[in-house]
Amino acid sequence: MMILDCPSVVKNRAMFSARGAGILGFSIFGRDRVYGLDDEMRLDVEGVVSFLERHKGERIFLFGFTFMIWQYFYKELLRLKERGVRLDLSNGILIHGGGWKRLESEAVSRQEFCDRLGEVCGLKEIHDYYGMVEQTGCIYMECECGHLHASIFSDVIVRRPEDFSVCGIGEKGIIQVVSAIPESYPGHCLLKEAGRMLDELERDGVKLSAKVVLLPAGSYDDTIFMEYNGERIELPVLRQQRPGPEGDCVALSDYICPVGKDGELKDFAGVFAVTSGPVPADRIKRYREEGDDYEAILMQTVADRLVEAATELMHLVVRRKLWGYAVDENDNDGNRLRQYYKGIRPAIGYPSLPDQSLIFVTDRIIDYAGMGITVTENGAMSPAASTTGLILSHPDSRYFVTGDIDLRQRDDYRRRRGMSEDDMAKFLPRG
């Protein structure tokens, strides 16, 4: 079995996620497992060639996530082919999943995805599947005709949005997926229960809070500078150690105009925070004290989704009104479910901005306590359904994964942050 990903996804518990769970789940169907990418997300050509030699003439099972396969496997195979090197995977069967939203920006259709892979490595049998974290162990597999099928342990129901009644054949509605497999949590059918909880929050007048501060900004090397209340605040960032899709190693500071020779800040940047407020958090605490784990988990899920939706709305208001750098952006139905707009809003603690301790820097601007948010000594936010980060308007800005941090960059970053090695290790574990 060839896993089209890097081994650190399952070895490093700090990186473990649905991606790691998917790899472990599909690994039970393979033997002599090899990873097609190294920990720097580069194609392990030597390892792949050795694997193919060992199993020459045999059927090979390949698994990976759609975007990762396209970005790090297909594009590298294409470069090899252009240099006259072609890996033969014509005996392989590829199972991939994880969604197509990230490929829509590159205008890659399902058919083109399959055709291109066939051209560079001979793959003919390629099957997509649909799955979600909330339906542990249950996926919907694509057949040879391109249709997704539910297993005997699951079902798909289409309901009318106005009353959740079941739609007739051919009628459009809300998709509900049902699974009988999960037993460790009440994740098998949440649609109506989540709707009930939303109704309760609305009835009780619960409101989310958002705060945005737009500031003069500039950059120098890998540091962002912002002017706030007469103080110049430094926000060091980290640079990718492996080239991204465009062939360069980027840092968030690249998306802000450099500081002028006279020290002038010629650009702008935003700092934001969004929180669900005290009511959902208080209810989660009460449910747990009463031993009602079902209601507690459901309320946390609803609160998290509300904050994500509110953050998306906040970003829209910033782009079109408060900052106003994208007043004419095209917001049609087809665009709403993908990042069609200019600019990004990287959150602290996420792959582009992995150092959680930066929250203590942005606290000087946002004042989390004033929003009812408590920040722990480890940089965690309470209520847990809260998020914070930066807003950048550069038209070419994109989200990216910083990846592993080498010792030189780590030492430079620690120096710029003014932190001891022990303190830095709490927020950026040593590789």
Side-chain angles (χ1 to χ4, degrees):
M1 175 183 181
M2 187 184 301
I3 302 165
L4 303 181
D5 212 313
C6 64
S8 60
V9 175
V10 294
K11 289 181 181 178
N12 184 351
R13 300 301 296 182
M15 292 178 60
F16 197 76
S17 61
R19 187 168 139 208
I23 291 173
L24 290 178
F26 275 94
S27 291
I28 65 175
F29 299 107
R31 60 182 176 84
D32 189 18
R33 292 179 286 272
V34 66
Y35 287 84
L37 308 177
D38 62 22
D39 285 336
E40 297 296 324
M41 299 303 290
R42 292 187 292 257
L43 181 64
D44 182 5
V45 178
E46 184 177 340
V48 170
V49 170
S50 175
F51 176 83
L52 294 177
E53 283 294 325
R54 290 197 303 274
H55 299 285
K56 192 172 184 179
E58 298 180 42
R59 294 282 279 163
I60 298 172
F61 172 38
L62 300 98
F63 169 76
F65 292 91
T66 310
F67 179 76
M68 308 290 290
I69 293 170
W70 181 263
Q71 199 65 52
Y72 300 106
F73 187 66
Y74 162 73
K75 290 187 176 180
E76 189 58 34
L77 290 180
L78 184 61
R79 295 187 188 99
L80 289 175
K81 183 183 177 184
E82 291 170 350
R83 297 200 298 266
V85 179
R86 188 175 189 272
L87 300 181
D88 184 10
L89 294 172
S90 56
N91 284 335
I93 176 170
L94 171 64
I95 304 295
H96 68 100
W100 292 83
K101 291 179 184 176
R102 297 181 70 180
L103 289 186
E104 287 179 352
S105 62
E106 298 193 35
V108 179
S109 67
R110 291 171 185 258
Q111 188 59 53
E112 184 178 5
F113 179 87
C114 296
D115 291 344
R116 294 277 196 92
L117 280 172
E119 291 172 3
V120 295
C121 63
L123 267 172
K124 302 181 185 70
E125 294 188 54
I126 302 175
H127 299 277
D128 187 15
Y129 74 89
Y130 175 80
M132 62 178 73
V133 174
E134 294 82 359
Q135 286 207 301
T136 305
C138 185
I139 62 174
Y140 302 85
M141 186 63 69
E142 182 184 52
C143 69
E144 61 273 14
C145 296
H147 303 299
L148 296 176
H149 294 261
S151 72
I152 60 173
F153 301 104
S154 60
D155 201 358
V156 178
I157 303 170
V158 181
R159 298 185 179 275
R160 299 181 180 94
E162 58 271 14
D163 60 3
F164 294 143
S165 59
V166 179
C167 293
I169 295 176
E171 184 180 354
K172 292 183 179 180
I174 298 173
I175 295 177
Q176 177 187 11
V177 288
V178 183
S179 173
I181 293 179
E183 295 180 352
S184 60
Y185 69 100
H188 45 277
C189 185
L190 298 178
L191 180 63
K192 288 188 177 180
E193 290 297 290
R196 168 184 60 79
M197 197 158 277
L198 281 170
D199 289 342
E200 291 177 5
L201 293 175
E202 184 177 12
R203 181 197 63 207
D204 295 342
V206 174
K207 294 183 178 180
L208 283 74
S209 299
K211 182 175 181 179
V212 179
V213 182
L214 300 177
L215 301 169
S219 68
Y220 180 77
D221 286 343
D222 295 346
T223 298
I224 297 171
F225 297 89
M226 292 178 283
E227 199 81 38
Y228 180 69
N229 281 346
E231 178 187 4
R232 183 156 291 193
I233 295 176
E234 296 184 20
L235 194 81
V237 294
L238 288 159
R239 184 170 296 277
Q240 282 180 306
Q241 294 297 286
R242 181 187 182 282
E246 307 303 322
D248 51 1
C249 296
V250 299
L252 291 176
S253 54
D254 295 345
Y255 302 133
I256 297 179
C257 184
V259 175
K261 292 182 179 179
D262 56 357
E264 180 186 2
L265 303 183
K266 300 180 178 181
D267 207 340
F268 287 89
V271 182
F272 76 88
V274 180
T275 181
S276 63
V279 175
D282 290 344
R283 292 189 182 181
I284 292 168
K285 180 180 179 181
R286 187 181 80 237
Y287 292 142
R288 286 175 176 158
E289 290 173 346
E290 295 172 350
D292 194 340
D293 290 338
Y294 175 86
E295 292 289 293
I297 293 172
L298 185 58
M299 177 59 78
Q300 186 65 64
T301 301
V302 169
D304 289 342
R305 294 303 91 207
L306 284 173
V307 167
E308 181 62 27
T311 305
E312 192 67 22
L313 176 61
M314 173 275 300
H315 196 198
L316 182 148
V317 172
V318 168
R319 296 193 308 271
R320 298 184 187 181
K321 295 181 180 180
L322 298 183
W323 195 334
Y325 68 82
V327 292
D328 298 323
E329 66 184 18
N330 182 15
D331 181 26
N332 58 44
D333 288 340
N335 275 336
R336 285 186 193 134
L337 295 180
R338 62 175 181 258
Q339 188 196 337
Y340 63 92
Y341 45 77
K342 295 179 181 178
I344 55 176
R345 49 173 181 85
I348 293 175
Y350 281 72
S352 301
L353 208 57
D355 179 8
Q356 191 68 35
S357 74
L358 291 175
I359 199 170
F360 301 115
V361 179
T362 53
D363 190 18
R364 293 155 58 188
I365 299 170
I366 289 291
D367 180 20
Y368 297 112
M371 295 182 66
I373 299 173
T374 301
V375 179
T376 71
E377 64 179 9
N378 293 320
M381 305 175 78
S382 179
S386 304
T387 186
T388 188
L390 305 179
I391 301 176
L392 308 178
S393 65
H394 196 291
D396 295 328
S397 60
R398 58 177 174 83
Y399 297 103
F400 58 87
V401 176
T402 301
D404 293 336
I405 303 164
D406 64 27
L407 293 177
R408 181 199 59 77
Q409 182 181 203
R410 183 187 180 82
D411 187 61
D412 173 71
Y413 182 75
R414 181 183 61 78
R415 177 184 55 77
R416 288 185 288 131
R417 289 286 288 116
M419 299 173 70
S420 69
E421 178 55 43
D422 288 342
D423 286 340
M424 177 60 64
K426 291 194 304 183
F427 302 100
L428 281 177
R430 300 178 183 89

